[in-house]
């Protein structure tokens, strides 16, 4: 019961872990890989997130991995799950595993008791626990080594294993391990070769990859030594081979188990039209992230470095220009009077035509102070170019200043000349520019975001999605799409936090933008700068923090932290002084912190910070309902880290002064 409780608290499930161990535990892990895995993932690191709430960040083994380190079937399940979740999106991977269970149940003897098929949600929870607790293991280095040996690109190496191939591997690889001299597996596929090869190597088997290209040539590469246990035919994506002819159809993946002694097929599985498709999660460490995005857009080898450098300068120039037009506005101001059920309403609170809300049309708001050095540091970090500076983009800033920088922007002459000298392989020159411009616009937002990340070096290994599509849903891109190049661009307090959170969780991750103050995935956490025991005086508005680990409280692990219910201002918390009045600067009321509250709901911790206000009843206190003879009254106010973060967004710090008197007149 204690183990079941611990697994449940970590987001896993004892029954579903047993079901998965029955599938993945059939295989034996390579002794060398097992020892290495144990040494790396067995180390635990813990750091304080909030001492008042008892929240910590846990980086390392939890109950799922700890059990695996002592029981071989569960360790095999953990290692294979860790590998599969590194390459594959967890939700679609879980759906494919459900299909394996369903087919096994259908093929079982009808006289036997049929076990319930585990749910996709439950399998997802186990996969997530394995991913979180084994994030220290460097699968990226191994998959890149496979890509180098196969002479394929990194994106091709990170392609997902076809669902039918994964299903066949689960059934056939254990048979090959038990009869290595009389069983061989044949895999025919156009994708997922990198993941397949790595999975076979982890199991200590030998695989021969036969790479067929569009010219019908054949290149062979072997992983391992001795007799081949797996033969993988990697076909060109666009071709089906028929003798020496080819057609523009994709050959469907298949997997076959052969008997070596008589060369007879024992099992043949072919992809079907209703097969569950497994998605890939193309992730890249934050350091060098921008360069990796641009590398994927530059298809030609000749002149590639010069083109990447020029696009990096363009992204930095865009970010610098935008930074001069950004103004703060609380998120609540982004919602206009459009009815919620209106067809023109969007998730970001703006109309589908990009019209400004009534708040944006006013002149209220503070300038968003983008630190210049932070922007330069961000560019050097993301593009891995230590020499980048704003001086290098001064020409671009002059040329493009007061332009909308939208998708219709003309191609700069420098890039046009480069594309003339080295034409794109697939696209026309204009189409290549449109694709590059789209990525440059997205990257300029990422540049601005990392200018607001505290302790940038700590986020070097933060895994970010190479799919930039989710950024198109953000507030800044929505406003930019309708910008005239001159007016102000209003951004809410959580603008940078949501950009980073969307890149962390990927294209299928959902984030509650109304109350979330911390998001975790893949063993990493991103949270607001007000989180924890931060003093508001030392907290920079809009900044976010990146740390390794998953939030934990009392053994319970969650993947987000949100403000709890009960926030808002009571009448005793209203502003006392108004514009035009002469007042003296003083602390009118004493505020004391009370014991905070912390609970949980689904996958999130809920946090309420509590403050007590104690006010003497005085005539000059401009509040209603007070009497002179009541002495002191105490009122408790609930808030949260997200609300505190929003409160700082509209505050401008004053500089210290030498005035002898504290008397002043508030400005109109």
């Amino acid at each position: 019961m204690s183990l079941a409780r611990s697994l449940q608290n970590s987001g896993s499930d004892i029954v579903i872990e047993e079901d998965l161990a029955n599938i993945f535990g059939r295989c034996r892990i390579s002794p060398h890989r097992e020892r290495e895995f144990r040494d790396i993932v067995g180390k635990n690191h813990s750091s304080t997130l909030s001492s008042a709430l008892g929240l910590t960040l846990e980086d390392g083994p939890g109950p799922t991995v700890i059990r695996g380190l002592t029981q071989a079937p569960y360790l095999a399940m953990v290692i294979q799950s860790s590998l599969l979740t590194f390459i594959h999106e967890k939700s679609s991977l879980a759906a494919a595993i459900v299909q394996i269970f369903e087919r096994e149940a259908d093929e079982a003897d009808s006289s036997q008791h049929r076990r319930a098929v585990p749910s996709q949600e439950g399998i997802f929870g186990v996969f997530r626990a394995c991913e979180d607790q084994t994030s220290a293991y460097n699968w990226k280095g191994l998959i890149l080594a496979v890509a180098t040996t196969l002479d394929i690109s990194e994106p091709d190496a990170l392609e997902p294993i076809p669902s039918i191939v994964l299903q066949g591997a689960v059934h056939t690889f254990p048979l090959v391990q038990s009869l290595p001299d009389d069983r061989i597996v044949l895999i025919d596929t156009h994708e997922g070769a990198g993941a397949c090869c790595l999975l076979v190597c982890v199991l200590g088997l030998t695989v021969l990859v036969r790479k067929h290209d569009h010219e019908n040539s054949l290149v062979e590469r072997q992983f391992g030594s001795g007799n081949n246990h797996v033969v993988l035919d990697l076909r060109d994506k666009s071709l089906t081979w028929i003798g020496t002819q080819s057609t523009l159809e994709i050959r469907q993946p298949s997997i076959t188990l052969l008997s070596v002694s008589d060369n007879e097929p024992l099992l043949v599985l072919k992809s079907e039209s209703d097969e569950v498709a497994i998605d890939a999660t193309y992730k890249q460490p934050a350091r060098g992230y921008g360069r990796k995005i641009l590398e994927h857009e530059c298809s030609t080898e000749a002149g590639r470095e010069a083109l990447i450098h020029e696009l990096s300068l363009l992204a930095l120039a865009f970010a610098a220009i935008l930074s001069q037009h950004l103004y703060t506005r609380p998120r609540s101001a982004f919602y206009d009077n459009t009815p919620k059920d209106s067809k023109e309403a969007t998730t970001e609170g703006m109309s589908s035509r990009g019209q400004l809300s009534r708040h944006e049309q006013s002149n209220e708001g503070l300038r968003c102070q983008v630190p210049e050095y932070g922007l330069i540091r961000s560019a050097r970090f993301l593009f891995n170019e230590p020499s980048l500076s704003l001086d290098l983009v001064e020409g671009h800033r002059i040329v493009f200043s007061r332009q909308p920088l939208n998708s219709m922007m003309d191609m700069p002459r420098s890039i046009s000349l480069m594309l003339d000298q080295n034409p794109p392989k697939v696209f026309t020159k204009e189409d290549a520019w449109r694709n590059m411009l789209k990525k440059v616009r997205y990257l300029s937002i990422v540049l601005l975001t990392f200018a607001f990340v505290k302790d940038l070096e700590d986020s070097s290994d933060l895994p970010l999605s190479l799919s930039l599509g989710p950024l198109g849903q953000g507030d800044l891109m929505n406003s930019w799409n309708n910008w005239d190049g001159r007016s102000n661009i209003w951004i809410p307090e959580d603008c940078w936090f949501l950009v980073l959170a969307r890149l962390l969780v990927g294209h299928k991750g959902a984030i509650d933008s109304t109350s979330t103050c911390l998001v975790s995935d893949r063993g990493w956490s991103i949270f607001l700068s007000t989180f924890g025991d931060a003093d508001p005086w030392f907290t920079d508005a809009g900044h976010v923090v990146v740390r390794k680990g998953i939030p934990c409280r009392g053994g319970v692990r969650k993947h987000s932290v949100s403000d709890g219910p009960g926030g808002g201002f009571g009448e005793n918390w209203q502003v006392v002084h108004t514009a035009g009045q002469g007042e003296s600067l003083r602390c009118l009321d004493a505020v004391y912190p009370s014991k905070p509250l912390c609970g949980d709901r689904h996958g999130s911790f809920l946090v309420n910070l509590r403050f007590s206000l104690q006010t003497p009843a005085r005539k000059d206190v401009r509040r209603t309902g007070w009497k002179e003879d009541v002495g002191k009254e105490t009122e408790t106010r609930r808030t949260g880290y997200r609300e505190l973060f929003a409160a700082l967004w509209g505050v401008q710090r004053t500089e210290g002064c030498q005035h002898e008197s504290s008397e002043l007149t508030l400005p109109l």
Side-chain angles (χ1 to χ4, degrees):
M1 183 61 71
S2 176
L3 175 61
R5 190 184 303 278
S6 297
L7 291 172
Q8 185 182 53
N9 287 341
S10 69
S12 188
D13 183 275
I14 190 170
V15 175
I16 296 178
E17 282 198 9
E18 181 183 351
D19 291 336
L20 291 174
N22 286 335
I23 286 182
F24 294 114
R26 300 168 186 169
C27 291
R28 300 184 303 275
I29 304 298
S30 160
H32 165 71
R33 194 64 59 201
E34 180 180 326
R35 286 193 301 271
E36 182 184 63
F37 193 86
R38 287 176 178 274
D39 291 342
I40 293 174
V41 306
K43 301 173 183 177
N44 184 61
H45 304 278
S46 180
S47 59
T48 300
L49 189 58
S50 170
S51 55
L53 293 167
L55 281 172
T56 60
L57 282 177
E58 298 297 327
D59 175 26
T64 298
V65 171
I66 290 173
R67 176 164 67 158
L69 294 176
T70 60
Q71 301 180 40
Y74 289 94
L75 181 60
M77 182 269 292
V78 167
I79 293 176
Q80 292 174 79
S81 297
S82 177
L83 166 59
L84 292 173
T85 54
F86 172 78
I87 296 175
H88 304 88
E89 190 273 323
K90 294 184 288 292
S91 180
S92 60
L93 178 62
I97 299 299
V98 168
Q99 197 167 55
I100 294 176
F101 280 111
E102 289 175 343
R103 289 185 175 179
E104 285 194 349
D106 291 339
E107 295 169 1
D109 190 342
S110 58
S111 62
Q112 297 179 350
H113 174 69
R114 176 166 176 162
R115 296 183 61 178
V117 173
S119 67
Q120 180 179 341
E121 181 182 5
I123 295 174
F124 177 91
V126 176
F127 282 159
R128 195 170 202 180
C130 291
E131 180 185 56
D132 290 340
Q133 297 170 33
T134 63
S135 60
Y137 195 78
N138 183 23
W139 291 114
K140 182 69 174 289
L142 295 177
I143 199 70
L144 290 181
V146 171
T148 301
T149 303
L150 292 178
D151 192 24
I152 60 177
S153 66
E154 181 179 337
D156 287 344
L158 292 171
E159 287 177 335
I161 300 175
S163 181
I164 194 66
V165 174
L166 179 60
Q167 177 186 342
V170 166
H171 294 297
T172 60
F173 287 176
L175 298 176
V176 174
Q177 283 188 327
S178 62
L179 295 170
D181 296 328
D182 193 46
R183 296 290 184 268
I184 188 170
V185 175
L186 306 180
I187 298 175
D188 197 325
T189 183
H190 59 274
E191 65 178 355
C196 281
C197 288
L198 187 51
L199 178 59
V200 173
C201 293
V202 166
L203 300 179
L205 299 173
T206 299
V207 56
L208 174 69
V209 179
R210 300 192 299 199
K211 184 182 174 186
H212 307 261
D213 65 17
H214 62 280
E215 296 176 350
N216 207 12
S217 63
L218 179 65
V219 177
E220 295 185 346
R221 293 288 186 272
Q222 186 185 55
F223 295 84
S225 59
N227 295 333
N228 296 318
H229 303 116
V230 178
V231 176
L232 192 154
D233 283 294
L234 178 60
R235 311 283 181 175
D236 188 278
K237 287 186 176 65
S238 61
L239 301 176
T240 295
W241 296 95
I242 306 174
T244 59
Q245 303 298 316
S246 63
T247 61
L248 294 178
E249 295 180 3
I250 295 178
R251 182 165 181 157
Q252 296 302 318
S254 65
I255 182 168
T256 303
L257 176 66
L258 281 179
S259 170
V260 175
S261 58
D262 54 14
N263 201 32
E264 287 293 324
L266 304 176
L267 175 68
V268 179
L269 295 176
K270 294 183 178 181
S271 183
E272 299 177 1
S273 58
D274 61 344
E275 205 75 53
V276 173
I278 308 178
D279 291 335
T281 56
Y282 299 107
K283 299 255 182 170
Q284 172 69 25
R287 178 176 291 280
Y289 174 79
R291 177 180 175 81
K292 187 64 66 174
I293 292 287
L294 296 179
E295 283 179 354
H296 293 168
E297 287 302 315
C298 303
S299 58
T300 58
E301 291 298 329
R304 190 182 195 190
E305 287 301 317
L307 183 56
I308 290 174
H309 178 70
E310 190 65 23
L311 292 173
S312 302
L313 295 179
L314 196 60
L316 178 56
F318 281 12
I321 292 171
L322 287 176
S323 70
Q324 302 303 308
H325 296 271
L326 300 180
Y327 281 77
T328 65
R329 175 74 74 236
R331 173 157 293 284
S332 58
F334 275 70
Y335 294 86
D336 55 22
N337 292 324
T338 305
K340 291 183 179 180
D341 58 352
S342 170
K343 292 183 179 180
E344 293 187 356
T346 70
T347 56
E348 299 298 335
M350 295 183 64
S351 73
S352 60
R353 294 170 295 182
Q355 295 174 341
L356 300 178
S357 69
R358 63 182 185 277
H359 300 277
E360 291 180 294
Q361 294 169 4
S362 70
N363 291 321
E364 300 175 2
L366 297 174
R367 173 83 174 274
C368 179
Q369 301 296 328
V370 180
E372 185 174 289
Y373 175 72
L375 192 58
I376 298 171
R377 187 185 58 162
S378 171
R380 293 171 177 173
F381 176 82
L382 290 169
F383 295 116
N384 224 4
E385 284 196 47
S387 61
L388 283 179
S389 68
L390 290 179
D391 293 337
L392 295 176
V393 301
E394 188 61 29
H396 285 319
R397 294 175 68 178
I398 294 173
V399 171
F400 299 122
S401 180
R402 306 184 71 80
Q403 292 188 29
L405 309 178
N406 57 29
S407 59
M408 302 306 295
M409 174 181 157
D410 292 334
M411 189 187 316
R413 178 173 174 78
S414 57
I415 294 178
S416 178
L417 291 174
M418 291 179 183
L419 294 181
D420 286 337
Q421 295 172 1
N422 301 286
K425 291 181 179 179
V426 179
F427 301 104
T428 65
K429 177 180 172 180
E430 284 299 323
D431 287 341
W433 162 242
R434 294 301 163 203
N435 290 334
M436 292 175 186
L437 177 60
K438 183 177 181 180
K439 296 298 172 63
V440 165
R441 278 162 48 88
Y442 281 138
L443 284 176
S444 63
I445 293 178
V446 179
L447 278 172
L448 287 166
T449 298
F450 273 90
F452 285 83
V453 172
K454 302 179 76 69
D455 301 322
L456 192 60
E457 292 303 316
D458 291 343
S459 62
S460 293
D461 295 324
L462 176 70
L464 301 177
S465 172
L466 289 175
S467 173
L468 294 171
L471 299 190
Q473 307 167 9
D475 304 284
L476 181 50
M477 185 56 78
N478 279 339
S479 298
W480 188 358
N481 287 336
N482 301 280
W483 186 48
D484 60 6
R486 296 176 176 82
S487 58
N488 298 338
I489 298 177
W490 305 101
I491 56 174
E493 67 276 3
D494 57 3
C495 177
W496 316 122
F497 171 70
L498 290 179
V499 168
L500 211 52
R502 288 185 177 115
L503 291 176
L504 175 66
V505 302
H507 64 289
K508 287 199 173 183
I511 303 170
D512 178 10
S513 63
T514 59
S515 61
T516 303
C517 51
L518 180 149
V519 172
S520 278
D521 197 36
R522 289 181 171 258
W524 286 81
S525 292
I526 298 170
F527 51 94
L528 306 178
S529 57
T530 50
F531 203 97
D533 307 319
D535 188 321
W537 178 254
F538 300 105
T539 303
D540 295 317
H543 280 65
V544 296
V545 183
V546 177
R547 295 261 294 277
K548 190 82 164 62
I550 302 296
C552 179
R553 184 175 186 264
V556 179
R557 299 188 182 202
K558 301 290 182 180
H559 288 85
S560 65
V561 180
S562 302
D563 285 3
F569 289 91
E571 65 173 17
N572 292 342
W573 296 83
Q574 303 302 318
V575 176
V576 174
H577 308 307
T578 58
Q581 293 180 339
E583 296 291 349
S584 59
L585 295 176
R586 55 194 170 90
C587 182
L588 180 67
D589 302 321
V591 179
Y592 303 95
S594 299
K595 184 178 180 180
L597 305 176
C598 185
D600 64 82
R601 179 180 60 194
H602 304 301
S604 178
F605 288 116
L606 297 181
V607 171
N608 270 134
L609 305 178
R610 301 167 69 242
F611 295 94
S612 295
L613 169 70
Q614 195 174 67
T615 308
R618 296 172 298 191
K619 283 186 178 181
D620 62 339
V621 177
R622 298 174 179 86
R623 296 192 178 100
T624 59
W626 282 64
K627 298 180 181 179
E628 295 184 36
D629 57 352
V630 296
K632 292 184 177 181
E633 288 199 7
T634 301
E635 179 183 353
T636 299
R637 162 81 159 88
R638 289 188 180 187
T639 185
Y641 294 122
R642 177 62 178 266
E643 189 177 27
L644 294 177
F645 192 73
L648 283 177
W649 194 232
V651 173
Q652 186 169 354
R653 289 181 181 156
T654 57
E655 299 293 335
C657 61
Q658 302 299 321
H659 293 162
E660 295 182 0
S661 173
S662 61
E663 299 293 330
L664 78 161
T665 300
L666 299 179
L668 295 172

